[in-house]
Every structure is written in structure tokens, then in C-alpha cells.
Amino acid sequence: MSAADVTILDYGSGNLRSAQRALERTGAQVTVTSDFDTALNATGLVVPGVGAFAACMDGLRAVKGDRIVGRRLAGGRPVLGICVGMQILFERGVEFGVEAEGCGEWPGSVTQLPAPVLPHMGWNTVDAPQGTVLFDGLDADTRFYFVHSYAAQTWEMDNVGSPLVAPKLTWAEHGGPFLAAVENGPLSATQFHPEKSGDAGAHLLENWVRGLS
């Protein structure tokens, strides 16, 4: 069986090399590039992200990354967003009172956590749902590594009456509940950094790579 072909989108933001090493440990064949066709046609695409929402969106648009993500999802091709790479999948981000437009794959806003200590930095548990793919085989007390001050704190997609499978939402707490991960058909994302989360993160990435087709 051939190794999964995974591309990490290089748009000037993210822990590219640590993500590359973590994915290579799963046995995947990993390419780091900003090339449109390579990212569009890879079996799996990873969208990392570190820093401000607006700056990440500027970088993403500069390499037509928003179009790549949209076209991949329209064809049912897997995408994994990490940290700000998860945040920019929502409609908008609000930082310091300034609103920036996101990719709009999910409705809702990314806003500052209502916590007395920011950023939320360090290890935290998550509350994963039944039937999750990403967290399959991981214990409920498993901890993942977070570094962020902003997050999606509500889920606004209405699946009532929809024939589509409802997204699987994983939550965490820091000053209040926020989305730690989403699994929505071919689109998955984590607010934490699996590439910095030791054995737990490696297991999660293996689960994602195993599901590529």
C-alpha cells in the first residue's frame, strides 16, 4: 500500500517544519509548498497557521489558498486546519475590535477568549464526541498543546433537517467553552497543535492520515 500524499500549504504562516516532521512520522509522503496545483491535487491538505487572523488571511489569499480549500472541499477532498488554520475557516475573525473576513467554510466568528490569563498556553484536555475519527483510541483525559488567545466559542451551523451528517464538535475550556476541533466531512480542524502534542498529537495525525482516500 503506497504512502498517503499530504501537502502542507506554505503561505507564510505556521510551524511548517514541525508539522512536516510529525506527518512524516505517520508514514505519509509530505510536501511543503505554495504551488496551487500541488496543493489542489494532493490526497490530503494541511493548512497551518500562527499569528493574527487578518495577516494569515492575507497570506492565504496571496497564494490563492482560499480557492484551493474551497475547490478541494467541493470535490470532497480532505483538508486539515491547525490553530489559526482552523480559525480562518470561519466567516470572520475579530481582533482588537477589527473584523477580518475568513474563508467562510463555517458560519460564525472567532473572538477573544473571556479568560483572565491570555494566551491560553499549555496542555489541556478536550471533550470529544462519540464516533470521532480524530480522537479514536485516545483516552478522555488525554491532553493536547494549545497556544492561542482567540477561538470559535459557538457553533452556528444549523443541521436540523439536513440530509448531511452533522459535524462532530470537540470542546475545551479556558475562561469558557471553545471549539477545540471540528470534523465536518472532508474538512477537519484542531485549535491545538497536534505537531506539538507528543504521542497524543501523533496518534491524532495518524488517525487523519489513515482516513485519507
Side-chain angles (χ1 to χ4, degrees):
M1 183 175 179
S2 60
D5 166 29
V6 175
T7 290
I8 300 173
L9 186 61
D10 181 2
Y11 63 99
S13 177
N15 298 300
L16 302 178
R17 298 310 166 194
S18 57
Q20 180 181 11
R21 289 192 295 268
L23 284 159
E24 286 175 341
R25 285 196 291 271
T26 72
Q29 181 177 335
V30 183
T31 302
V32 179
T33 185
S34 60
D35 181 73
F36 186 94
D37 289 334
T38 301
L40 182 64
N41 295 316
T43 305
L45 178 69
V46 174
V47 181
V50 172
F53 186 107
C56 284
M57 279 305 304
D58 287 344
L60 192 71
R61 291 192 185 99
V63 299
K64 302 179 182 177
D66 52 339
R67 289 175 53 194
I68 293 169
V69 170
R71 285 180 58 178
R72 286 185 62 88
L73 296 177
R77 311 196 74 179
V79 174
L80 174 66
I82 294 176
C83 196
V84 184
M86 170 178 174
Q87 296 177 7
I88 58 179
L89 296 170
F90 288 86
E91 284 181 326
R92 69 192 70 84
V94 182
E95 296 185 1
F96 305 108
V98 178
E99 184 174 308
E101 182 180 347
C103 291
E105 298 298 338
W106 294 320
S109 300
V110 171
T111 55
Q112 184 171 298
L113 294 170
V117 176
L118 291 174
H120 172 216
M121 182 182 297
W123 299 85
N124 202 350
T125 57
V126 301
D127 182 14
Q130 291 288 328
T132 174
V133 172
L134 292 181
F135 299 91
D136 183 47
L138 292 167
D139 296 333
D141 60 353
T142 300
R143 293 178 177 271
F144 298 90
Y145 190 79
F146 292 83
V147 184
H148 65 117
S149 297
Y150 297 83
Q153 297 168 63
T154 59
W155 181 254
E156 299 181 18
M157 182 180 288
D158 183 5
N159 284 88
V160 176
S162 171
L164 301 176
V165 176
K168 295 189 183 301
L169 309 178
T170 295
W171 297 86
E173 292 265 348
H174 185 71
F178 67 89
L179 280 163
V182 177
E183 298 166 61
N184 182 202
L187 182 56
S188 299
T190 66
Q191 178 60 67
F192 56 83
H193 288 275
E195 79 280 7
K196 295 183 177 181
S197 294
D199 291 343
H203 187 103
L204 182 143
L205 290 174
E206 287 173 1
N207 285 344
W208 182 72
V209 169
R210 191 179 301 118
L212 297 177
S213 59

